[in-house]
Amino acid sequence: MITTAARKRVAVAGNPNTGKSTLFNRLTGLSAKVGNYPGVTVEREIGALELQRSGSIELMDVPGTYSLTARSAEENIAIQAICGLHPLERPDAVLIVADATQLTRNLYLVLQVIEADLPVVVALNMSDMLTANGQVVDAAALSRELGVPVVSISAQHNDNVDALRAALDDVLQTPERARPGPRWIPATPELRDDVSAVAGELPFDWHRGEQRRRDALALWALLSLDEHDEIAGAPLHLRDTVLARRRGAAAAKREIEAEIIRGRYGWIDACAGKFLHEPANARRTKTDRVDRLLLHPAAGFLMFLLAMGLVFQSLFSWADPAIKLIESTIGALKDLVVAYLPAGILTDFVCDGLIEGVGSVIVFLPQIMLLFFFIGVMEDSGYMARVAFLMDRLMKSIGLHGRAFVPMMSGFACAVPAILATRTMERQRDRMLTMMVVPLMTCSARLPVYSLLIAALFPPDRVFGFVPVQGLLMIAMYLFSTVIALCVAAVLGRTLFKGRSVPLLIEMPPYRTPHWPAVIAMMWRKSRVFLTEAGTVILGCTVLIWGLLNFPKSSEIAARFDEQSARVATEVPAGAERDARLAELGNARAAEQLRYSFGGQIGHAIEPVIAPLGFDWKIGIGLLGAFMAREVFVSTMGVVYGMGHDVDDSSVGLRQRIKQEAHADGRPVYTPLVGLSLMVFFALACQCMSTLAVVRRETRSWRWPAFLFVYTVALAWLMAFAVYQGGALLGFA
């Protein structure tokens, strides 16, 4: 066995939708560790593979890419991981997973990796589907043409994977056998001169004096570097040389990019007949027939809405029993603590701080696991590629592409799993932009607030005699948040996240049955990351909010209510009346203590800021409590009005109290205009610490959650101000 220090590393690369992740999971036994590439937020998986002669080796999954032309952060990572550019070490070999049914397209990446002078093994995946397509691929002939080992496999059915392990083992033992050198050379003297000029500007630690590697990186630079790229670490003088060569080529009516691409595809086309045999009249496959429906502009969109309806149904309803089980378990734990610990601050901290904090983390788990399960099924079955293609035209109008649609739609259920779902997007700029607008979608946590305010402040009248006003308002809030999210995406996409428009290049894989162990493993890994990383931030924030709402304690308030409670216990006989009066005193005590707390002081402090929106200091306390979770606004208002924690949006007493609440001069605190202003504020403000914690985890920075919080709160204030002050000017106050 090889020691850990000497463990060899193999990079697993390939086009998207080639079954690369399925093969990676086969080889590592579904036990890969998830982390991030150094310095960036792109996720990577590393796993161990036992080989007969090489011992335990390390497999590193590389982001799926169609080429090593780095047009995005992920493609930049691919070139770094495959070629070993700083800060990543050069792998000992590269295992390239190619789709046997789309061979000529996949061979472009294979040629680029071979040019980089790395030992290569090609895994021809989905070989079992060739017969259905009427194709024949001669793996031995392809191996002779490429000069590297080629093994036909089916990762999904575990066919011939042992032969692939053996081939990889052989290459690691004798790497020179799989380093044949470039399969093509630049055809024109002008292109060779461009390559030579750029190669001279490459940093030495990129190529270490190896000529083949230097030429390969020069070709990469000519294709990849420009003034708008996302590539970090490329020296300025290298960029200047590339731009100068491009300008010179353009002046000579040459296209460097086209010359390089034509050279590689020219080799593929010239050799394809030696290893690839296709029927003269290819018959329409099952995939083609299904795509006639799923890619149809009207029918395909309808089918997608039905699919998303299934996903939403699962997030709203199917996850509900598990969520209720978690909530009841948390409640039982709190009851257990109350039963065995004496009343006091320690018990309050354990119940409302620690246990409630843990509950606020794991309560998201059922929705997150279900969402990632459906995403895994859509990815593995090939349907996700169709969704991206179908929605690309709509999303392109706001500066995104089709893959952004699923996370944004998922935001209607919960922003936390929706933000995690942005990992399906290849481009860092698109992922960041989507993360910044997903929290604007109306999530399920806003519904209790809307329900309470609509039921309390808006009469159950009907428009046109049959359309209920309350239902119309609920629909209007959903439409409002969606329109605002799309507008904000368009603005941010043209300002803060301004970037080059990159067309959606996507290959439609054949439909296939998902590899269920891989889907389940992916679902659990991503959920575990949420629990361990975002969960710690959420727990910390929960404890902080608890402290703000419970400290400092007033001895005067405590003494006064202790005296009143003792008087009731003495004067009122034991029974229902005594219990009711003691409960009423307990609620009044909690309300007064809340007003005395830091949270209450903050509510008073921010009252001048929120007064133009129609809010008083009590609503300010509710907004602070809602930072723990938006739906907590309801229970916080219950405490503020002396009704206790155990109220919800359907509580008739809380609705009546809201209707009756008045200012000192007799004016009602809550009017329909105030209710509308408050709903608009809740629709736009990112008060959810869980969302901010997940953004912190995904971006590895506090800068972006801070920006998200500030811009959404500012936008919410402005829109609520416009609603309240505009309504007042129109006489609706």
Side-chain angles (χ1 to χ4, degrees), residues 28-274:
T28 59
L30 305 176
S31 59
K33 295 181 179 179
V34 179
N36 279 35
Y37 286 94
V40 295
T41 58
V42 180
E43 192 175 84
R44 70 169 174 176
E45 293 182 76
I46 293 179
L49 170 63
E50 289 289 335
L51 297 177
Q52 187 173 4
R53 289 184 291 165
S54 302
S56 178
I57 70 167
E58 185 178 85
L59 290 185
M60 179 176 64
D61 195 15
V62 175
T65 178
Y66 292 107
S67 72
L68 297 185
T69 303
R71 299 296 190 192
S72 70
E74 284 67 24
E75 289 181 345
N76 186 23
I77 286 294
I79 184 71
Q80 286 180 318
I82 291 171
C83 293
L85 302 183
H86 181 77
L88 299 175
E89 295 181 6
R90 188 178 186 184
D92 296 284
V94 180
L95 172 60
I96 304 180
V97 185
D99 181 353
T101 66
Q102 305 285 342
L103 186 55
T104 54
R105 176 68 184 86
N106 283 236
L107 285 179
Y108 188 88
L109 176 64
V110 175
L111 289 184
Q112 283 189 290
V113 178
I114 289 175
E115 290 166 21
D117 200 30
L118 288 159
V120 171
V121 177
V122 177
L124 278 183
N125 196 24
M126 307 183 203
S127 295
D128 54 321
M129 297 182 178
L130 288 171
T131 304
N133 296 339
Q135 296 175 300
V136 176
V137 174
D138 187 336
L142 177 59
S143 178
R144 288 193 296 270
E145 295 300 320
L146 292 175
V148 301
V150 176
V151 183
S152 296
I153 67 164
S154 171
Q156 185 173 14
H157 299 107
N158 205 25
D159 294 342
N160 221 27
V161 175
D162 287 339
L164 179 63
R165 290 190 182 94
L168 190 56
D169 201 1
D170 290 342
V171 165
L172 289 172
Q173 293 301 306
T174 55
E176 291 302 322
R177 291 180 51 212
R179 294 174 61 189
R183 301 287 85 189
W184 71 285
I185 59 173
T188 64
E190 292 83 4
L191 183 56
R192 289 195 292 270
D193 187 50
D194 292 330
V195 171
S196 177
V198 172
E201 300 296 329
L202 293 169
F204 180 79
D205 61 351
W206 282 19
H207 56 77
R208 300 291 180 183
E210 300 174 25
Q211 186 61 44
R212 289 182 185 174
R213 182 173 165 81
R214 197 164 82 158
D215 289 346
L217 289 171
L219 287 168
W220 164 79
L222 282 168
L223 285 173
S224 303
L225 295 180
D226 61 37
E227 63 271 22
H228 299 297
D229 62 55
E230 302 183 40
I231 302 167
L236 183 60
H237 59 83
L238 175 60
R239 293 176 191 263
D240 290 342
T241 301
V242 170
L243 291 173
R245 284 286 159 171
R246 285 186 177 172
R247 286 193 295 268
K253 307 298 184 184
R254 293 173 50 229
E255 293 185 15
I256 291 179
E257 186 169 349
E259 290 178 15
I260 296 173
I261 293 173
R262 274 200 305 266
R264 291 185 180 127
Y265 274 116
W267 183 91
I268 294 171
D269 292 339
C271 298
K274 301 176 183 178

Side-chain angles (χ1 to χ4, degrees), residues 280-340:
N281 297 312
R283 64 180 183 273
R284 186 177 292 275
T285 65
K286 181 173 66 175
T287 291
D288 294 332
R289 292 192 295 271
V290 174
D291 275 347
R292 290 185 65 184
L293 172 65
L294 295 187
L295 294 181
H296 189 276
F301 185 70
L302 178 61
M303 295 299 293
F304 171 66
L305 290 182
L306 291 175
M308 291 308 298
L310 177 65
V311 173
F312 288 147
Q313 181 66 23
S314 74
L315 297 182
F316 278 119
S317 302
W318 299 359
D320 196 52
I323 291 173
K324 282 186 166 53
L325 177 62
I326 292 171
E327 291 174 341
S328 62
T329 302
I330 294 298
L333 282 174
K334 290 169 68 174
D335 292 341
L336 194 63
V337 169
V338 170
Y340 284 93

